[in-house]
Amino acid sequence: LLTLSGGTINVSGRLDRPSFVAVTKINISGGTLNLNTVGSTSTTNSPFMVDVTGSSFNMSGGTIVIKNEGGTGAQDLGYNNTGCLADYSVTGGTLQIGNASASAGQNMRILTNIPVGNLVVETTNSPTATLVTNPLTVLSAVNIKANGTFNANNLNVTVGGNWINDGTFLPVTNTVTFNGTGTLTGASVSTLNSAFHNVIITGTL
């Protein structure tokens, strides 16, 4: 059980289950969780690894930072939250890919079947956030900062708030659905045609 309501937790390796069958229970309402501050050589396990069915995840605030500090670029490590589909509540908070101390040029994968509150792709050291096999739902804002890249990898993205793009968005053939109230801003956003492959607007944009 991990409960975080404030402050900062630095995890040198990864946040993972103690065994192949053990469930994980996570509650985050505030604070910052920094994952893999030293680095990992694993090619299969992510810094955030909640993949056993029956796990639970609740997030209303705070930030999960995937930094892969010390990574060599070969691991493509990232965020795996696939074990909580039957027991989760996400109403806020942020998934942040990269930070000032992350290794340069890291490609950090996102594999989740539940929403994230906000998605931020940071600027320093040019990180890339790549969807793996699942589409992504972002309840509020997507913020791709300068030098950051968000690779949708042909997978659909649903956004409930603002889309801020000062970096690079690679939709390939995906569809971005805006189902809330938001705006398009950023140096890399000029029109819907130039910024996206396919767009559906069911909210207000």
Side-chain angles (χ1 to χ4, degrees), residues 31 40 51 93 127 130 151 174:
S40 171
D51 63 337
T130 300
N151 183 359
N174 94 320

Side-chain angles (χ1 to χ4, degrees), residues 188-204:
S188 300
V189 171
S190 55
T191 66
L192 290 175
N193 286 338
S194 65
F196 304 97
H197 174 77
N198 188 45
V199 173
I200 296 175
I201 302 173
T202 60
T204 303

Side-chain angles (χ1 to χ4, degrees), residues 49-137:
M49 194 77 181
V50 182
D51 63 337
V52 175
T53 300
S55 296
S56 66
F57 180 82
N58 298 286
M59 190 169 187
S60 59
T63 302
I64 298 172
V65 180
I66 309 296
K67 54 193 299 188
N68 200 12
E69 185 176 349
T72 64
Q75 295 87 30
D76 288 352
L77 300 174
Y79 177 85
N80 184 331
N81 195 348
T82 54
C84 307
L85 187 59
D87 188 4
Y88 76 90
S89 173
V90 178
T91 58
T94 298
L95 172 61
Q96 177 179 315
I97 302 299
N99 75 349
S101 61
S103 297
Q106 293 294 292
N107 180 23
M108 306 184 205
R109 299 177 296 184
I110 298 173
L111 177 59
T112 180
N113 52 12
I114 67 173
V116 300
N118 298 275
L119 175 66
V120 174
V121 184
E122 273 295 333
T123 180
T124 307
N125 294 318
S126 304
T128 296
T130 300
L131 302 185
V132 182
T133 56
N134 293 354
L136 180 66
T137 296

